[in-house]
Amino acid sequence: MTATRPAEVAIARTREELSAELDGLARAGASVALVPTMGALHEGHLSLVDRAHTLADAVVVSIFVNPLQFGLGEDLSRYPRELSRDVELAASRGVRLVFAPGDGDMYPEGAPIVRVKPGPMGEGLCGRFRPGHFEGVLTVVAKLFGLVRPQVAVFGRKDLQQAALVRRMERDLDLGVRVDVAPTVREEDGLALSSRNAYLSPDERRHARAFHRGLVRADEAFQGGETGRRALTSLVESEIRDHAGLELQYVELVDPETLVPLETAGRGSALAVAGFSGATRLIDNVLLGADAPDPGVGRPTSVERAR
Ligand code: PAF
């Protein structure tokens, strides 16, 4: 990557530095779009940045590997941390400010005692396999909203459950941030971009394509008239079963906004899958039907409601 960093990109490592930068943006009358990340930026994150530019005057990217959302035995210690590369990439896409706090800046009093509970929407899908994960995600996202005070925040649809939960948290708690959900960016062979793809060996990477292939087969079947949950999920399961290196955790048909399980698919229903290729956990999903809207589009956030 040969991108050069434009002079106007700023890096805030502390709350004080963040405040000073945000004051500058406020004085200039700039609206702010936040793209929350855990770093190891890839084209998927950068597409969120591009989208954020269409929604506000200035784009802020947060980079924080949030210990609260990693369970025991998960990859917290080996999660890729590449700040200077991330800053170069963010700058090359016109990001105004990178907020990259340390644990002590994000959690000055240690692990927070008061946290955001996801409730029943956090119990199914990935929540079944990652206890405490979404509580950690919602807690840090609420803190980021409070620290950065953006007008809009952009999340990726690959993390379907996370996006639905953040939208719901925003409405339930009236956080005053418009939550935008952007389409998944894929490699040419369909694999959804993820920072965790970096863990895959070439063989695991090749096998991992089956997750998306299964979803495509199911989507084709849906477009051909198949709407039954069992038939659609079986198509994904059989694609994954053909690969010795893959282990399936779940394939589920759900409403993309409420995450309620469905027996019959309609246009825009989500088929979500999670599993392992080797030791790497991967997730993916498709909204059935070619022009399906993004999850959450149907219901306004608290900001849209107030207009
Ligand atoms: O999607 C992620 O990278 C993280 O879950 C998020 C939203 C940045 C919170 O830590």
Side-chain angles (χ1 to χ4, degrees), residues 146-228:
L147 287 166
V148 178
R149 299 184 306 280
Q151 279 67 50
V152 56
V154 187
F155 293 81
R157 197 179 79 203
K158 182 178 78 67
D159 298 302
L160 181 87
Q161 189 169 16
Q162 168 172 287
L165 277 164
V166 170
R167 282 186 66 93
R168 184 66 200 227
M169 169 177 77
E170 194 287 327
R171 286 203 307 277
D172 283 353
L173 304 183
D174 286 309
L175 298 179
V177 177
R178 179 174 159 205
V179 177
D180 184 74
V181 180
T184 303
V185 179
R186 300 181 179 283
E187 303 278 9
E188 263 180 30
D189 61 6
L191 183 70
L193 294 192
S194 163
S195 304
R196 291 192 165 98
N197 291 352
Y199 300 149
L200 297 168
S201 70
D203 267 358
E204 291 165 352
R205 167 75 185 67
R206 197 163 38 75
H207 290 309
R209 294 184 300 204
F211 288 102
H212 179 246
R213 240 190 348 258
L215 292 173
V216 168
R217 283 189 61 196
D219 191 36
E220 284 166 0
F222 172 77
Q223 294 191 50
E226 180 58 74
T227 58

Side-chain angles (χ1 to χ4, degrees), residues 36-38 45 64 66 69 133 137 140-141 144 155 159 162:
T37 81
M38 297 205 300
H45 297 113
F64 178 63
N66 174 33
Q69 68 189 75
H133 170 69
V137 169
V140 81
V141 169
L144 287 167
F155 293 81
D159 298 302
Q162 168 172 287

Side-chain angles (χ1 to χ4, degrees), residues 110-124:
I113 295 170
V114 177
R115 301 183 185 201
V116 182
K117 290 251 182 255
M121 279 176 73
E123 284 164 14

